[in-house]
Amino acid sequence: MTTKTEAAAALAGDTDGKAEDTLRITDSRTGETYEIPIVDGAIRSLDLRQIKTSEDDFGLLAYDPAFMNTASCRSAITYLDGDLGVLEYRGYPIEQLAEHSTYLEVAYLLVHGELPTAAELATWTHEIKTHTFVHENVKSFIQGFRHDAHPMGMLLGSIGALSTFYPDANQIHDPANRAIQTIRLIAKMPTLAAFSYRHNMGQPYVYPDNDLEYAGNFLGMLYKMTELKYQPDPRLAKALDVLFILHADHEQNCSTSAVRAIGSSGVDPYSAIAGGIAALYGPSHGGANEEVVRMLLRIGSKENIPDFIAGVKAGRERLMGFGHRVYKNYDPRARIIKKACDDVFEVTGVNPLLDIATELEKIALGEEYFVSRSLYPNVDFYSGLIYQALGMPMAMFPVMFAIGRTSGWIAQWLEMVQDSEQKIARPRQIYTGERNRDYVPLAERG
Ligand code: ACO
């Protein structure tokens, strides 16, 4: 019998060489038994490598397409319990942060690990406000996009291009350098997002107004026309700020995993976060809020809901904004967004799609198909209705998600860069293709 080695114990973080809990595995191919340490409810996949059928066997792999059951890092940023519907940033419940905090304070919390003191918050806010401008050349290349380019595509391209404006950002092991890129990314993301919007509208780009708060300044860059000073409605600015808080982080989701994987190569954070934006662009992730509104428009009226639900149950389509890889309960962010809807609609008037959405949610939650699969509304089910009420076209919805998620991507990137256990991300594969074929000249191929 092969028992746990000291090396395996050290890997598992056991200083005295004894793991509290172990997994005993018997390999039916060889009859060998192995003791694999269990730490924090996990085994190390590398511990499986010792399980071999012969000396020259590579060793057992863990096969996990889409990383359904693989922890890729240790993280102290976001806690999520999908069964109970719990979400905490650095230990603080999302409900309390949404009610009492601001997006910039939450960004500080995610990045630094603690809530700031009043002085720390003032400095952080000042730094972010004074880095909101982008180089004039950035304007020129955004102008180079087609008039109808998707704003998410423009955001993705322009954030990636920022790395060429800050070539020193590749000094990722210098803490002072990381700190300034962190500020720049949070500060400039809304500016680039708003420029993309104005480009689609054929309107002149609006420079940031550093007298305004983060969300209010963003609204100004979207909507300011001839007025000397744009004054955002405080209720709309607050609702937008809450949406940024709700989207700020969500542990190892698709786009964050992309940021970490790309960043693990040692590339600068602008390039890594451009990869995060690309991942968020997809309809199964940040593009879902856009798809929800398209779906509601297609349903058109409450009377058509039963037909639509029948189509979903028959597998002809999905109920967008429902379901989540991790939440098997009501997404706590969806609850808070429903409240933000009321605040926004008080100012803008009710979005007529709200009635259809509310009825759709009610009917779906009473249907066995959704209940048995634990499909509940996720953060995207109602957020699109708010963005639409704020006057944004659907193509801007994933862009809004990206602005909020920027602080989370950076916090996760910072954690990854400083984690001594991390290396370049490089999964294994199970090869299923041909082997040892001889090249056939073109003339001889059938
Ligand atoms: N509508 C109808 N059926 C659904 C839905 C849905 N929205 N989501 C899942 N299901 C069904 C699947 O068909 C499957 O049924 P089956 O067991 O009979 O085959 C079962 O529920 C499990 O679904 P999976 O696709 O295996 O779940 P997974 O964890 O892979 O997918 C996802 C999660 C992508 C979010 C999915 O629920 C979905 O497509 N939802 C709609 C898109 C959406 O709202 N995305 C936003 C996610 S939140 C975010 O990114 C911020």
Side-chain angles (χ1 to χ4, degrees), residues 284-285 288 318-323 325 369 373 375 378 380:
S284 296
H285 193 9
R318 287 206 158 195
L319 172 48
M320 299 308 286
F322 260 63
R325 172 60 59 79
Y369 176 93
R373 290 170 178 78
L375 299 171
N378 61 48
D380 284 325

